[in-house]
């Protein structure tokens, strides 16, 4: 099975999954951070409309619900502005 790294933890994924889907499958629901409170924020709509699931993929901010993972990818929680 292929894996990517999320904050130092190996996350397995299947072809066709998104980063958010693989994280949820691994039991990780707080995938972003509120810039104001520094609390964890989960994905809300899973369609890319709410923008609550930004993650940092090798210094690029992407929507976890819309981005497929790649083998060896390094993913970190992204900070959300405005919340």
């Amino acid at each position: 099975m292929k894996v990517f790294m999320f904050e130092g933890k190996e996350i397995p994924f299947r072809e066709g999954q998104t980063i958010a889907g693989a994280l949820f499958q691994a039991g990780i629901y707080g995938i972003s951070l509120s810039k104001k409170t520094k609390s964890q924020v989960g994905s809300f709509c899973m369609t890319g409309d709410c923008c609550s699931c930004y993650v940092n993929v090798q210094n690029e901010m992407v929507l976890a619900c819309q981005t497929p993972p790649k083998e060896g990818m390094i993913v970190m929680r992204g900070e959300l502005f405005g919340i």
Side-chain angles (χ1 to χ4, degrees):
M1 182 168 277
K2 296 179 181 181
V3 298
F4 67 92
M5 298 299 290
F6 181 74
E7 300 195 339
K9 181 178 179 182
E10 286 189 346
I11 306 296
F13 67 93
R14 296 184 312 257
E15 290 296 319
Q17 276 188 310
T18 62
I19 293 171
L23 290 172
F24 291 168
Q25 184 175 338
I28 299 170
Y29 304 105
I31 59 178
S32 298
L33 291 174
S34 165
K35 186 161 180 79
K36 287 183 181 178
T37 66
K38 302 297 184 203
S39 59
Q40 294 181 11
V41 178
S43 186
F44 180 70
C45 71
M46 296 300 284
T47 63
D49 291 330
C50 73
C51 299
S52 69
C53 66
Y54 271 108
V55 292
N56 184 325
V57 176
Q58 295 165 227
N59 295 319
E60 181 181 346
M61 296 298 284
V62 300
L63 291 168
C65 72
Q66 299 295 300
T67 306
K70 295 178 183 166
E71 178 75 30
M73 178 184 277
I74 299 171
V75 180
M76 302 291 286
R77 287 182 173 93
E79 281 194 341
L80 302 176
F81 296 94
I83 64 169

